[in-house]
Amino acid sequence: MKAETQLELEQDYLAILCLFPNYFDDYQDPRWFTCPEYRTLLQDLAECREGTKINAAKLKARNTESAKLFGQLLSAAFSQAEYHDLRGELEKSARAREIVEAAEMLSDGKIGIEQFKKRIDSYSDLDLLSDNGLPDDMIGLITSSSSVLKFDKYRHTFGDTLGISENTLTTIAAYTSRGKSALALNLANDLRKSYPVVYFNLEMNKRGFVSRLMSMNTGIPIKKFCGMNPDPGQTELMEKAERSLNDGNFIAVHGSRSAGSVQEVVKQLYGRFGRPVVVFVDHIHYLTGDMKLLERDRISEAMKVLNALAKDGKATVFVLAQLNREGESKAGLRNLQGSSAIEQDSDNVLILEPAEDETDGFGTAKKDLHMYLKAMKVRDGTQARCSLLFRKDRQQFVEEYGSQGRTGKSPERQLWA
């Protein structure tokens, strides 16, 4: 790429950031820019951003040259629809430069072959480094069972029955307060035994999040934690759970995030662990984005980003979503709240709903609730209805493999007609 063209690319991208500062919710890497003035402007814009605007007075006081560039770029007419294309070109160009730089360092003897390979692996792209993109052993790839997610506690439901595969995007949907976050945390807690797991907690406060994790790992009812004076046995259980959760294989990210920010975190973790990670987004409606867009359009953009993470082989993604209340007694794909893109961009769509009344004859909420997990869409597996027991006070989901349903039939593998 010629320097003039590269500078124009950098200038066009910065113009969009000037016009639409909300894109600073995404990670913006100064290394993408070859022009020092543009790198400085990027950092100054980030510092002077206030919500959806750039504080021009603050920018001028900080750096008059950046303020002058900002004024020039504001006059450029760019559509935010060009943002992702320009961002992709910038990233690709930066990686190409880094590959050339690493090759020159190898040639000059400044780094060894292992260091070179490590650097290349951290930022290589298929279109830059591969030949035809096809593996040598194609037959082995498609006949291997290793692509099914390696569950332990939930192997029967998600592995043997549904066949949820690695590098897919799965949506778990339910009505409000029906246990979808608890189910997702149980799955994350199970999968961390085999994969690096990152859980984007966009809904709960940190105390509530940790309380759920500790309750499901210790069996101590969640309501007992507040003001608790644990006995020696409970202390031992909690300390054991704490050590296990802090093994480095489970990462929790709290607070608001955009889909682009999720993408950058996952890329960094992929580089750190050197293998795909399992991602949970709780939940899709809380991802930030361009507030000028309708909710369905924001969700559609977010789903495309998350789907790309899975298809690029960097992650297996689980997304939580709300169901709207229309036709609550017969929840289906039509009830996915906000966007048809959730169904379209998901490889698998699972709906969680009670299999029985949630209260007893006296109107008291049941501590143990039988639930159905309905696989409404499974790209490479089996559509089925699986049975789970939700122990609400301990936030635990238990497989009911081999159990009898209320009708006397085993509900855990009822195939849809």
Side-chain angles (χ1 to χ4, degrees):
M1 180 176 289
K2 296 180 181 180
E4 181 181 350
T5 306
Q6 173 66 26
L7 290 176
E8 288 178 352
L9 175 63
E10 295 173 11
Q11 179 178 296
D12 294 349
Y13 186 74
L14 279 171
I16 290 181
L17 293 181
C18 290
L19 291 163
F20 306 102
N22 53 287
Y23 283 122
F24 276 98
D25 286 340
D26 298 340
Y27 176 71
Q28 307 295 342
D29 195 335
R31 295 174 298 176
W32 296 342
F33 298 85
T34 58
C35 176
E37 289 81 4
Y38 289 167
R39 286 199 295 269
T40 301
L41 175 60
L42 180 76
Q43 295 166 339
D44 290 340
L45 289 174
E47 289 296 325
C48 297
R49 177 203 172 188
E50 295 179 356
T52 59
K53 296 181 180 180
I54 299 295
N55 187 326
K58 184 178 178 181
L59 180 62
K60 186 175 181 180
R62 178 182 174 88
N63 189 324
T64 55
E65 289 302 316
S66 288
K68 189 183 298 183
L69 270 175
F70 173 66
Q72 294 170 356
L73 293 173
L74 272 182
S75 62
F78 278 98
S79 167
Q80 59 184 326
E82 299 177 66
Y83 169 76
H84 291 290
D85 288 339
L86 291 173
R87 180 185 176 92
E89 288 299 317
L90 268 182
E91 289 180 316
K92 186 184 297 184
S93 175
R95 288 175 185 141
R97 292 196 304 272
E98 290 172 338
I99 291 170
V100 171
E101 180 184 342
E104 290 175 347
M105 293 177 70
L106 176 65
S107 177
D108 293 340
K110 295 179 180 179
I111 59 174
I113 188 65
E114 291 303 320
Q115 290 173 296
F116 173 76
K117 289 180 178 178
K118 187 175 181 180
R119 291 187 63 166
I120 293 299
D121 287 344
S122 67
Y123 45 66
S124 60
D125 265 354
L126 185 64
D127 58 342
L128 291 175
L129 294 179
S130 71
D131 41 20
N132 65 357
L134 297 174
D136 293 333
D137 183 12
M138 287 186 279
I139 296 174
L141 176 65
I142 64 174
T143 59
S144 171
S145 61
S146 60
S147 63
V148 176
L149 270 177
K150 298 175 181 62
F151 285 94
D152 179 21
K153 184 178 178 183
Y154 301 103
R155 184 176 64 252
H156 168 69
T157 298
F158 289 87
D160 298 342
T161 302
L162 300 180
I164 303 297
S165 298
E166 296 174 345
N167 302 128
T168 56
L169 192 160
T170 298
T171 294
I172 300 175
Y175 296 113
T176 303
S177 302
R178 291 289 172 84
K180 60 181 178 295
S181 292
L183 176 59
L185 272 174
N186 274 270
L187 298 181
N189 193 45
D190 193 39
L191 286 168
R192 70 185 176 88
K193 301 169 188 174
S194 302
Y195 306 89
V197 171
V198 56
Y199 197 104
F200 289 90
N201 168 37
L202 312 179
E203 182 177 21
M204 296 173 273
N205 61 41
K206 191 175 293 186
R207 180 172 181 167
F209 180 84
V210 173
S211 294
R212 290 189 182 206
L213 269 179
M214 292 296 285
S215 182
M216 69 180 61
N217 277 282
T218 62
I220 298 172
I222 192 169
K223 291 184 178 180
K224 287 191 175 183
F225 287 132
C226 186
M228 181 183 188
N229 184 19
D231 60 37
Q234 292 170 327
T235 299
E236 183 179 356
L237 285 172
M238 288 192 287
E239 289 178 347
K240 181 180 178 181
E242 187 176 49
R243 286 194 301 271
S244 176
L245 288 166
N246 281 325
D247 66 359
N249 230 31
F250 184 89
I251 298 162
V253 179
H254 304 280
S256 62
R257 292 274 169 171
S258 67
S261 176
V262 170
Q263 183 182 46
E264 293 302 328
V265 170
V266 172
K267 286 182 178 179
Q268 291 175 26
L269 292 176
Y270 179 80
R272 179 196 301 180
F273 290 102
R275 59 192 178 114
V277 299
V278 178
V279 179
F280 287 82
V281 178
D282 185 5
H283 56 76
I284 188 67
H285 298 88
Y286 281 114
L287 282 177
T288 60
D290 186 353
M291 300 310 294
K292 294 179 182 178
L293 297 176
L294 295 173
E295 181 186 41
R296 65 172 180 269
D297 295 325
R298 291 200 305 272
I299 291 174
S300 178
E301 289 298 315
M303 290 296 292
K304 284 179 172 58
V305 171
L306 297 175
N307 183 282
L309 275 176
K311 298 305 175 286
D312 289 345
K314 291 182 173 63
T316 300
V317 183
F318 287 86
V319 171
L320 274 61
Q322 296 275 26
L323 293 176
N324 62 46
R325 294 285 176 177
E326 182 182 353
E328 181 173 346
S329 61
K330 295 181 180 180
L333 295 175
R334 70 187 182 282
N335 298 102
L336 287 170
Q337 181 176 314
S339 178
S340 60
I342 296 177
E343 176 189 353
Q344 292 169 1
D345 288 315
S346 296
D347 296 294
N348 316 299
V349 180
L350 312 177
I351 292 181
L352 182 68
E353 63 180 10
E356 60 181 341
D357 291 336
E358 297 179 69
T359 58
D360 60 23
F362 300 98
T364 304
K366 295 176 181 177
K367 290 184 177 180
D368 292 344
L369 188 66
H370 293 278
M371 306 286 290
Y372 283 140
L373 186 67
K374 300 194 301 185
M376 307 300 294
K377 175 184 178 182
V378 184
R379 192 175 299 279
D380 298 317
T382 304
Q383 279 193 312
R385 182 172 69 182
C386 303
S387 182
L388 298 168
L389 178 66
F390 182 22
R391 292 174 174 161
K392 298 169 69 173
D393 62 335
R394 290 165 172 78
Q395 294 294 291
Q396 296 172 338
F397 273 86
V398 181
E399 287 189 328
E400 293 194 298
Y401 176 52
S403 66
Q404 297 296 305
R406 288 172 295 127
T407 61
K409 299 179 181 179
S410 297
E412 70 279 349
R413 283 204 67 175
Q414 295 182 12
L415 303 186
W416 293 94

